[in-house]
Amino acid sequence: MIRAAVLPAVGSPLEVTGIELPEPGPGQVRIRLAAAGVCHSDLSLTNGTMRVPVPAVLGHEGAGTVVSVGEGVTHVAPGDGVVLNWAPSCGGCHPCSLGEVWLCANALAGTANVHARTEDGTELHPGLNVAAFAEETVVAANCVLPVPDGVPLTDAALLGCAVLTGWGAVHHSARVGVGETVAVFGVGGVGLATLQAARIAGASTIVAVDVSPEKEALARAAGATEYVVASETTAKEIRKLTGGQGVDVAVECVGRAVTIRTAWDSTRRGGRTTVVGIGGKDQQVTFHALEIFHWGRTLAGCVYGNSNPAVDLPVLAEHIRAGRLDLSALVTERISLDGIPGAFENMLAGKGGRALVVFP
């Protein structure tokens, strides 16, 4: 028996309870978690914005130590530190054949599997494949990647979602160049990673936007050169900070229609807006045909930072070792499993950056 945070049904509160976790079968790995980040996507699973089979063990951003491996697993061994990859590519679908592994059609197929059972025998699914809100987990071998040398295991948890997403939004989707101007909407865990990535890319003016004035210090520490408290005049304020033109690139990390629209309005003519935030179907964004022609702007979705974890993790590790990328700076709260509901409440209230579940 191990302890885990279980979502009994959509709209129900999480329950931290004991579960029975099987030993790894062929092609599987058992991991003792060191840490797991609390991401907005976990909250989106609880309220039904994103749908996966339930009841489920949530948590998709984590790192830990291999306890045991099943038959056929050779790339990791007991005692190895690993990062969890919640969206593994199958290698055989159409997007994978194009090299777009972040769009793999089968990435979430594992969520339908039976992952564990409660004490009364109820079957549990792995929320986003890896069920990281637990003391231990069993995952498919393609859901684990070795922790790069020189990266602390607890900090490495953040690589599994927030950092890969923020880094990829800047370097793969928006392709920010040296000297370009950038606005980042939403200063949570992903937003803070995006700000650091923009700084590393060599952006000149970096504007952070959030509803909370209290996040300014966090944003500036991550690389923001300007800070704007979100309001109806946000786009005008950003244009004023960029000589009346607007930024070259806006990255939206919130997933709300009004924020997406404001991000678009904040870019210059010919500017680029990348949407990272996951919004509900009720969030409708509207444009009229003339403005699309006139402004010549680009609006793009961005899944998992358009990243290939196997390729990007070594690059990120080099920035970490060189001191350019600070993972611990994303964390504003370290909690236990029992603290996850409180972390969700803080997220809804717009407080803090990343909450990190740290296991003893």
Side-chain angles (χ1 to χ4, degrees):
M1 296 292 295
I2 61 164
R3 295 180 79 234
V6 175
L7 177 66
V10 173
S12 298
L14 285 185
E15 298 176 358
V16 178
T17 185
I19 66 170
E20 295 180 1
L21 191 67
E23 290 303 311
Q28 292 185 320
V29 181
R30 183 167 183 143
I31 298 146
R32 180 178 300 111
L33 272 296
V38 182
C39 179
H40 202 279
S41 296
D42 299 308
L43 183 60
S44 295
L45 293 175
T46 69
N47 62 27
T49 299
M50 296 173 63
R51 290 194 173 272
V52 294
V54 291
V57 179
L58 297 191
H60 64 281
E61 179 184 85
T65 303
V66 175
V67 175
S68 55
V69 300
E71 180 183 351
V73 178
T74 59
H75 73 295
V76 294
D80 288 350
V82 293
V83 177
L84 298 178
N85 174 17
W86 63 271
S89 58
C90 70
C93 67
H94 184 62
C96 285
S97 72
L98 298 175
E100 298 172 350
V101 297
W102 54 91
L103 298 179
C104 175
N106 301 305
L108 296 181
T111 62
N113 296 337
V114 175
H115 172 72
R117 287 177 169 80
T118 61
E119 292 181 88
D120 65 6
T122 301
E123 293 181 345
L124 301 172
H125 301 280
L128 283 177
N129 281 324
V130 296
F133 287 168
E135 294 170 331
E136 295 189 11
T137 188
V138 173
V139 302
N142 62 352
C143 286
V144 298
L145 294 164
V147 172
D149 292 340
V151 180
L153 188 58
T154 301
D155 290 348
L158 301 166
L159 294 172
C161 184
V163 177
L164 275 171
T165 300
W167 172 266
V170 168
H171 291 270
H172 300 320
S173 179
R175 300 190 179 186
V176 175
V178 174
E180 287 197 304
T181 55
V182 177
V184 177
F185 290 75
V187 185
V190 173
L192 289 168
T194 303
L195 288 168
Q196 290 204 43
R199 171 177 47 77
I200 292 169
S204 52
T205 300
I206 304 175
V207 185
V209 182
D210 198 274
V211 295
S212 172
E214 288 76 21
K215 291 188 180 183
E216 181 171 358
L218 274 175
R220 289 189 180 276
T225 61
E226 308 289 343
Y227 192 80
V228 172
V229 177
S231 71
E232 293 181 356
T233 63
T234 294
K236 291 182 180 179
E237 292 180 61
I238 291 175
R239 286 197 293 272
K240 185 176 180 180
L241 291 169
T242 53
Q245 297 302 310
V247 289
D248 296 302
V249 171
V251 182
E252 199 272 358
C253 304
V254 181
R256 295 184 63 227
V258 65
T259 319
I260 295 169
R261 177 70 219 205
T262 304
W264 162 277
D265 289 338
S266 299
T267 62
R268 64 171 174 81
R269 198 174 187 188
R272 300 153 356 243
T273 299
T274 288
V275 179
V276 173
I278 301 172
K281 293 179 180 179
D282 61 322
Q283 296 294 311
Q284 298 290 317
V285 188
T286 60
F287 307 90
H288 61 72
L290 181 60
E291 67 178 319
I292 292 174
F293 160 76
H294 172 76
W295 288 103
R297 293 163 170 156
T298 301
L299 179 69
C302 181
V303 178
Y304 203 7
N306 294 6
S307 293
N308 181 340
V311 173
D312 288 324
L313 282 184
V315 176
L316 291 168
E318 182 55 37
H319 287 297
I320 294 167
R321 288 190 292 263
R324 292 183 290 267
L325 179 59
D326 183 1
L327 299 182
S328 62
L330 307 183
V331 180
T332 53
E333 186 180 18
R334 295 176 186 267
I335 60 175
S336 67
L337 276 174
D338 298 294
I340 296 174
F344 281 168
E345 291 177 8
N346 287 339
M347 199 179 296
L348 286 169
K351 296 179 180 178
R354 203 45 136 214
L356 190 67
V357 179
V358 180
F359 296 90

